[in-house]
Each structure stands twice: as C-alpha cells, then as structure tokens.
Amino acid sequence: MLALAVRRRTAAILVAAAAITAVSCADSDDRPMVAVGADGSTESVVLAEIYAQALARVGTRTSVVTGLTDPLAALDAGRVAVLGARNGALLNRWNPASPAREPADVTAALAAALPAGLSVSDAADGTDLRPRVLRPESAPDDIATVTALTATCPTLTLGIVDEPTTADPQLIPGCTPAALHHYPDLASLRTNLLNNTIQVGLTPGPGTDLTGLTPLPDPDYTLRAQNILALHHTGIFDRQQTKKLNYISGELTTEALLTLIAEVDSGTTPATAARTWLDAHAL
C-alpha cells in the first residue's frame, strides 16, 4: 500500500510538472510556463485571463488555453495547471452527498474531497453564483424564500435552463415538482413563466436581465454555495504566487464578474477586460 501511495504521489508530481513546463521547451526563457485553462464560456475565459495575468505580475510565465471541452480532464492529463472553478460545482462532482451548503463549509468540504495532487485557493465569498429560483413578479407573495418553496413544490411545475451548473440531480433540494420542463435559455424560461406554463424557474446563476421575474431569496442556502476559486496542481506555487491568487478572491464580486462578462460579450477582448480589472484593484 505504501509503494502504491508513493507511485500515486510521484505520478501527480510528474503530471503537474508537465503542465508547467510543456509550453516552455522551445523558449529561451528557462522559467517554467504555467498553463491556465478555460472552457468556451465567457466566464471561464475571463477568469483564466485574470489568473494568468495576476500570476505574470509576480514573475510567473503563463499561457491561457481556452476551448477545453473537459477542463478537469485537461488538468488531470497535465495539459493545464490551473483552472477557475466554482467550489459548489466541484463538491457536487467529488462529494455530491456532502451536507455542506454555506460558503465556508463548502470550501472546507471541497478541500477534504479533492483528489490527490490538487489544491484550491481561497474562495471568493463575494461571488454568489448559486442558481436563481425565479417567480413571475405577478405571482402571489405566499412563497417568500427558496426554503418556503419546498413545501408547495408538489403543486408546481418547474422549468430549468439546461446548462452544466443546473445538472445537479436534486436541482432544488427538498423540492419534488409536479412536472419538470427544460429550456435552452433564459428568454424561453421567462416566456413560459409569464404565460404560466411553469410556475417556478431555475437558472444556472445570476442573470443580467430578469425583467418581469423575481428571484427568491435563499438565506438558508438551500442551494449549495457557488463561489469562484482557483483549482491547481499542488506544490507548483510559492508563497507570493499563492497570495496573489488569494488576493483575487478577496476582490472579486458577483457584480464585477457579470460586468466583465458583459464587456467581453460586447466586444472587449478577455485579456483587456482582465487587465483593466486587475489594474483597478491594484492586483
């Protein structure tokens, strides 16, 4: 068993080394290259640019690898060394039965569930990216919170926007709706909420246009916390680099991230948006 554990640790170190050095082999600069990965979403690409540029400001050679169809597989294979991620989504993957719901508890549970060879930065507690439970503004006000919703779920039809972050099989814990409908985007969900085809909607995160809809407060964290953090190979960063990642977590907010996403979707390059944000926060 000890020999197996040593082999696993050795393999994890070799994978991490591959992700750091692979891009730098043909370069005269002998500093290791840290590859920061992203999928095709604007959120993921913006976060990759923020982490890569922030690390570069403390002397790290970085590259950004986007369009990954399976970022966690790329991290495991050593194609990248760092990913921006959501703590709740990672916990759903590695310990979905965990009772942790609030930010600090979710981050602690995630740390305990991480596979060997992986670590995380501090979580950005200012980024509340939990799914939003929506009701029409004209709906009766008898349901004041997500917790209160669960008692009446059996009489309601629920609609969801199909994205990876709403793939949790429980959707809204404790809520078993009369029927479940799937929609490709928020606009379709809104239309069906407003015409009463469905009475409750679930989106994968905070939306920028909720016209006609009311998000239900979730003070009890019925929905698991979803805060941004950096997932990375263990042992690749020194104290200064680690502090830089944690400083980002201390400054990043939901509003700032949504603004950055909107800017990039409107034509600003992800690198420019990230640089401007980092400059504004002296990072």
Side-chain angles (χ1 to χ4, degrees), residues 7-33:
R7 288 200 298 272
R8 285 176 175 169
R9 285 196 295 271
T10 302
I13 292 169
L14 292 174
V15 166
I20 299 171
T21 60
V23 189
S24 62
C25 293
D27 200 303
S28 59
D29 190 334
D30 60 0
R31 291 175 301 161
M33 179 77 78

Short mmCIF file of all heavy atoms in Angstrom, two decimals, residues 7-33:
data_model
loop_
_atom_site.label_atom_id
_atom_site.label_comp_id
_atom_site.label_asym_id
_atom_site.label_seq_id
_atom_site.Cartn_x
_atom_site.Cartn_y
_atom_site.Cartn_z
N ARG A 7 3.83 5.76 -5.57
CA ARG A 7 3.69 5.85 -7.03
C ARG A 7 2.65 6.89 -7.41
O ARG A 7 2.81 7.64 -8.37
CB ARG A 7 3.31 4.48 -7.59
CG ARG A 7 4.46 3.47 -7.57
CD ARG A 7 4.20 2.33 -8.54
NE ARG A 7 3.00 1.58 -8.19
CZ ARG A 7 2.99 0.54 -7.36
NH1 ARG A 7 4.11 0.16 -6.77
NH2 ARG A 7 1.87 -0.10 -7.12
N ARG A 8 1.53 6.95 -6.67
CA ARG A 8 0.49 7.92 -6.98
C ARG A 8 1.00 9.35 -6.78
O ARG A 8 0.74 10.24 -7.59
CB ARG A 8 -0.73 7.67 -6.10
CG ARG A 8 -1.55 6.46 -6.54
CD ARG A 8 -2.69 6.20 -5.59
NE ARG A 8 -3.54 5.12 -6.08
CZ ARG A 8 -4.49 4.54 -5.35
NH1 ARG A 8 -4.71 4.95 -4.11
NH2 ARG A 8 -5.23 3.57 -5.85
N ARG A 9 1.71 9.57 -5.68
CA ARG A 9 2.24 10.92 -5.44
C ARG A 9 3.24 11.30 -6.52
O ARG A 9 3.27 12.43 -7.00
CB ARG A 9 2.88 10.99 -4.05
CG ARG A 9 1.89 11.05 -2.91
CD ARG A 9 2.55 11.51 -1.63
NE ARG A 9 3.55 10.55 -1.18
CZ ARG A 9 3.28 9.52 -0.37
NH1 ARG A 9 2.05 9.30 0.04
NH2 ARG A 9 4.24 8.69 0.01
N THR A 10 4.09 10.32 -6.92
CA THR A 10 5.07 10.58 -7.97
C THR A 10 4.38 10.91 -9.28
O THR A 10 4.76 11.85 -10.00
CB THR A 10 5.99 9.36 -8.16
OG1 THR A 10 6.63 9.06 -6.93
CG2 THR A 10 7.03 9.61 -9.23
N ALA A 11 3.32 10.17 -9.60
CA ALA A 11 2.58 10.44 -10.84
C ALA A 11 1.96 11.83 -10.81
O ALA A 11 1.97 12.55 -11.82
CB ALA A 11 1.48 9.38 -11.04
N ALA A 12 1.40 12.24 -9.66
CA ALA A 12 0.79 13.57 -9.55
C ALA A 12 1.83 14.65 -9.76
O ALA A 12 1.58 15.67 -10.42
CB ALA A 12 0.14 13.72 -8.18
N ILE A 13 3.04 14.44 -9.21
CA ILE A 13 4.10 15.44 -9.38
C ILE A 13 4.51 15.54 -10.84
O ILE A 13 4.72 16.63 -11.38
CB ILE A 13 5.30 15.07 -8.49
CG1 ILE A 13 4.93 15.23 -7.02
CG2 ILE A 13 6.52 15.93 -8.83
CD1 ILE A 13 5.95 14.66 -6.06
N LEU A 14 4.62 14.38 -11.52
CA LEU A 14 5.01 14.40 -12.93
C LEU A 14 3.98 15.07 -13.80
O LEU A 14 4.31 15.82 -14.73
CB LEU A 14 5.25 12.96 -13.41
CG LEU A 14 6.47 12.25 -12.80
CD1 LEU A 14 6.50 10.79 -13.24
CD2 LEU A 14 7.76 12.96 -13.21
N VAL A 15 2.68 14.83 -13.51
CA VAL A 15 1.62 15.49 -14.26
C VAL A 15 1.68 16.99 -14.08
O VAL A 15 1.57 17.76 -15.03
CB VAL A 15 0.24 14.94 -13.83
CG1 VAL A 15 -0.87 15.84 -14.35
CG2 VAL A 15 0.06 13.53 -14.37
N ALA A 16 1.84 17.45 -12.83
CA ALA A 16 1.94 18.88 -12.57
C ALA A 16 3.12 19.48 -13.30
O ALA A 16 3.03 20.56 -13.89
CB ALA A 16 2.06 19.12 -11.06
N ALA A 17 4.27 18.78 -13.28
CA ALA A 17 5.45 19.29 -13.96
C ALA A 17 5.22 19.41 -15.45
O ALA A 17 5.65 20.37 -16.09
CB ALA A 17 6.64 18.37 -13.68
N ALA A 18 4.49 18.45 -16.03
CA ALA A 18 4.21 18.50 -17.46
C ALA A 18 3.40 19.72 -17.82
O ALA A 18 3.64 20.39 -18.82
CB ALA A 18 3.49 17.22 -17.90
N ALA A 19 2.38 20.04 -17.02
CA ALA A 19 1.52 21.19 -17.31
C ALA A 19 2.28 22.49 -17.20
O ALA A 19 1.98 23.46 -17.90
CB ALA A 19 0.33 21.20 -16.36
N ILE A 20 3.28 22.53 -16.34
CA ILE A 20 4.02 23.77 -16.13
C ILE A 20 5.08 23.97 -17.20
O ILE A 20 5.34 25.08 -17.64
CB ILE A 20 4.69 23.77 -14.74
CG1 ILE A 20 3.64 23.67 -13.65
CG2 ILE A 20 5.53 25.00 -14.52
CD1 ILE A 20 4.21 23.45 -12.28
N THR A 21 5.70 22.86 -17.65
CA THR A 21 6.88 23.01 -18.50
C THR A 21 6.63 22.76 -19.97
O THR A 21 7.43 23.18 -20.81
CB THR A 21 7.98 22.04 -18.03
OG1 THR A 21 7.50 20.70 -18.12
CG2 THR A 21 8.38 22.34 -16.59
N ALA A 22 5.53 22.10 -20.33
CA ALA A 22 5.36 21.66 -21.71
C ALA A 22 5.43 22.80 -22.70
O ALA A 22 5.98 22.66 -23.80
CB ALA A 22 4.03 20.92 -21.87
N VAL A 23 4.88 23.96 -22.35
CA VAL A 23 4.81 25.06 -23.30
C VAL A 23 6.15 25.76 -23.43
O VAL A 23 6.37 26.50 -24.38
CB VAL A 23 3.73 26.06 -22.84
CG1 VAL A 23 3.48 27.11 -23.90
CG2 VAL A 23 2.44 25.33 -22.53
N SER A 24 7.08 25.53 -22.50
CA SER A 24 8.30 26.33 -22.47
C SER A 24 9.52 25.65 -23.08
O SER A 24 10.60 26.22 -23.08
CB SER A 24 8.61 26.71 -21.01
OG SER A 24 8.84 25.55 -20.25
N CYS A 25 9.35 24.44 -23.61
CA CYS A 25 10.51 23.67 -24.04
C CYS A 25 11.33 24.38 -25.11
O CYS A 25 12.55 24.29 -25.11
CB CYS A 25 10.06 22.30 -24.56
SG CYS A 25 9.36 21.25 -23.25
N ALA A 26 10.64 25.06 -26.03
CA ALA A 26 11.36 25.67 -27.14
C ALA A 26 11.69 27.13 -26.89
O ALA A 26 12.10 27.84 -27.79
CB ALA A 26 10.53 25.53 -28.41
N ASP A 27 11.53 27.60 -25.67
CA ASP A 27 11.70 29.01 -25.35
C ASP A 27 13.02 29.21 -24.62
O ASP A 27 13.43 28.38 -23.81
CB ASP A 27 10.54 29.49 -24.48
CG ASP A 27 10.39 31.00 -24.53
OD1 ASP A 27 11.38 31.68 -24.20
OD2 ASP A 27 9.29 31.47 -24.87
N SER A 28 13.70 30.32 -24.91
CA SER A 28 14.99 30.57 -24.27
C SER A 28 14.84 30.96 -22.81
O SER A 28 15.79 30.82 -22.04
CB SER A 28 15.73 31.69 -25.03
OG SER A 28 14.96 32.88 -25.04
N ASP A 29 13.70 31.48 -22.41
CA ASP A 29 13.44 31.81 -21.01
C ASP A 29 13.27 30.50 -20.25
O ASP A 29 12.39 29.70 -20.57
CB ASP A 29 12.18 32.66 -20.92
CG ASP A 29 11.98 33.25 -19.52
OD1 ASP A 29 12.47 32.64 -18.55
OD2 ASP A 29 11.33 34.31 -19.41
N ASP A 30 14.12 30.27 -19.24
CA ASP A 30 14.08 28.97 -18.56
C ASP A 30 13.11 28.91 -17.40
O ASP A 30 13.03 27.90 -16.70
CB ASP A 30 15.48 28.57 -18.08
CG ASP A 30 16.07 29.57 -17.09
OD1 ASP A 30 15.38 30.57 -16.78
OD2 ASP A 30 17.21 29.36 -16.64
N ARG A 31 12.34 29.99 -17.17
CA ARG A 31 11.31 29.90 -16.14
C ARG A 31 10.20 28.97 -16.60
O ARG A 31 9.85 28.96 -17.78
CB ARG A 31 10.70 31.28 -15.87
CG ARG A 31 11.62 32.28 -15.19
CD ARG A 31 10.95 33.64 -15.10
NE ARG A 31 10.60 34.16 -16.41
CZ ARG A 31 9.70 35.12 -16.62
NH1 ARG A 31 9.04 35.64 -15.61
NH2 ARG A 31 9.45 35.54 -17.85
N PRO A 32 9.64 28.16 -15.71
CA PRO A 32 8.56 27.26 -16.11
C PRO A 32 7.32 28.04 -16.57
O PRO A 32 7.06 29.14 -16.09
CB PRO A 32 8.27 26.44 -14.86
CG PRO A 32 8.75 27.30 -13.73
CD PRO A 32 9.94 28.04 -14.27
N MET A 33 6.60 27.47 -17.51
CA MET A 33 5.36 28.07 -18.01
C MET A 33 4.17 27.43 -17.32
O MET A 33 4.05 26.20 -17.28
CB MET A 33 5.24 27.86 -19.52
CG MET A 33 3.99 28.44 -20.14
SD MET A 33 4.09 30.24 -20.35
CE MET A 33 5.12 30.34 -21.81
#
